[in-house]
Amino acid sequence: MWAGESIYLLPYALRRDYRTTLIDVLELPGEAALGAIYSAFGALSLVAYLAGGWLADRVSPRVLLTWSLLVTAGGGGFLATLPSTPAQLYALFGLWSISTILTFWAPLVKVTRAWGGEAAQGRAFGLLDGGRGLVAAAVASIGLQIFALRGGGAAGLRAVILLYTAACLIGAFATWRTIPGEPPRRTSESRVSGGLIEVLKRPRVWLLGGIVFCAYSAYYGTFYFAGYAEVGHGAD
């Protein structure tokens, strides 16, 4: 639960909660510049999602998850220097598309599914997402207090970035200690390709995909609430 949320604090929570500060401190020209960075991040993540399952069948989930958290934390350390050139930010978010999606998401799902067994899949994934929400609320609340105590601005943003980086490092340590280092069970290429085609033929798969797409579209819309309150209504 901790690892499943802490890794997404840096690429997502900063934008959600500190959007205007992020633009000002990183000296971005405006909303469009930040949007372009996240558009590139999203495009790379799409490819990473497609390849992530293939990779999870060939490398131990323990190794992938720990590596992902460590690399994401390393990116947080770099972001704490407050780079101000677009090329550096594009490179950073490109790295995060690898560490948070390609090498992380599929192994996380695989480990959760194995933990749930045959009879407790709903419970396992419910605990994962419910726990992620709890971690997000707790760490974000602590980050907000730190941001306020440091007076906001560059100092406050750097402190929050370091907090989120520390959360990733804790997640990496806990993941390595708790997840068994079992070798992956490889599936033949012909079986994978055949199974993929069979899955794509099922209408319910497209229906579920549409539901997830709509749900996340609404969810990501809430990322603009903080900036709207600040710019539109003068909230601090």
Side-chain angles (χ1 to χ4, degrees):
M1 294 184 293
W2 182 278
E5 182 59 31
S6 62
I7 197 170
Y8 294 112
L9 293 171
L10 285 164
Y12 292 107
L14 284 175
R15 176 193 178 193
R16 180 190 65 210
D17 300 330
Y18 306 97
R19 187 182 190 89
T20 54
T21 303
L22 199 63
I23 292 172
D24 293 341
V25 170
L26 297 181
E27 300 178 358
L28 295 172
E31 294 278 352
L34 184 63
I37 292 171
Y38 273 92
S39 292
F41 174 66
L44 290 172
S45 296
L46 173 62
V47 178
Y49 272 119
L50 294 174
W54 178 89
L55 184 63
D57 285 337
R58 285 157 177 78
V59 183
S60 167
R62 182 192 190 195
V63 172
L64 287 174
L65 294 174
T66 304
W67 183 89
S68 298
L69 287 155
L70 289 174
V71 171
T72 303
F78 174 72
L79 186 61
T81 66
L82 305 181
S84 58
T85 62
Q88 291 175 315
L89 294 173
Y90 276 108
L92 173 61
F93 278 84
L95 176 66
W96 277 344
S97 71
I98 295 173
S99 65
T100 65
I101 306 299
L102 176 64
T103 59
F104 186 83
W105 185 250
L108 177 67
V109 172
K110 194 170 186 177
V111 168
T112 305
R113 183 172 182 176
W115 176 72
E118 294 294 331
Q121 289 293 301
R123 187 185 310 164
F125 282 96
L127 285 173
L128 172 64
D129 269 353
R132 288 179 63 197
L134 180 62
V135 171
V139 179
S141 297
I142 295 171
L144 180 61
Q145 294 302 315
I146 293 175
F147 182 77
L149 289 174
R150 295 301 300 270
L157 184 64
R158 182 181 288 110
V160 173
I161 292 171
L162 291 175
L163 171 68
Y164 291 172
T165 299
C168 281
L169 292 174
I170 293 171
F173 175 78
T175 297
W176 186 259
R177 291 293 301 270
T178 58
I179 295 178
E182 299 175 355
R185 289 177 291 181
R186 184 168 179 172
T187 305
S188 67
E189 297 292 343
S190 59
R191 184 178 176 186
V192 170
S193 59
L196 179 61
I197 294 173
E198 181 63 29
V199 167
L200 291 176
K201 290 180 179 179
R202 299 178 181 179
R204 71 179 64 182
V205 171
W206 294 95
L207 175 61
L208 290 171
I211 292 171
V212 172
F213 176 82
C214 292
Y216 268 90
S217 296
Y219 167 65
Y220 284 124
T222 66
F223 279 35
Y224 293 89
F225 285 5
Y228 175 67
E230 185 177 356
V231 176
H233 296 277
D236 63 15

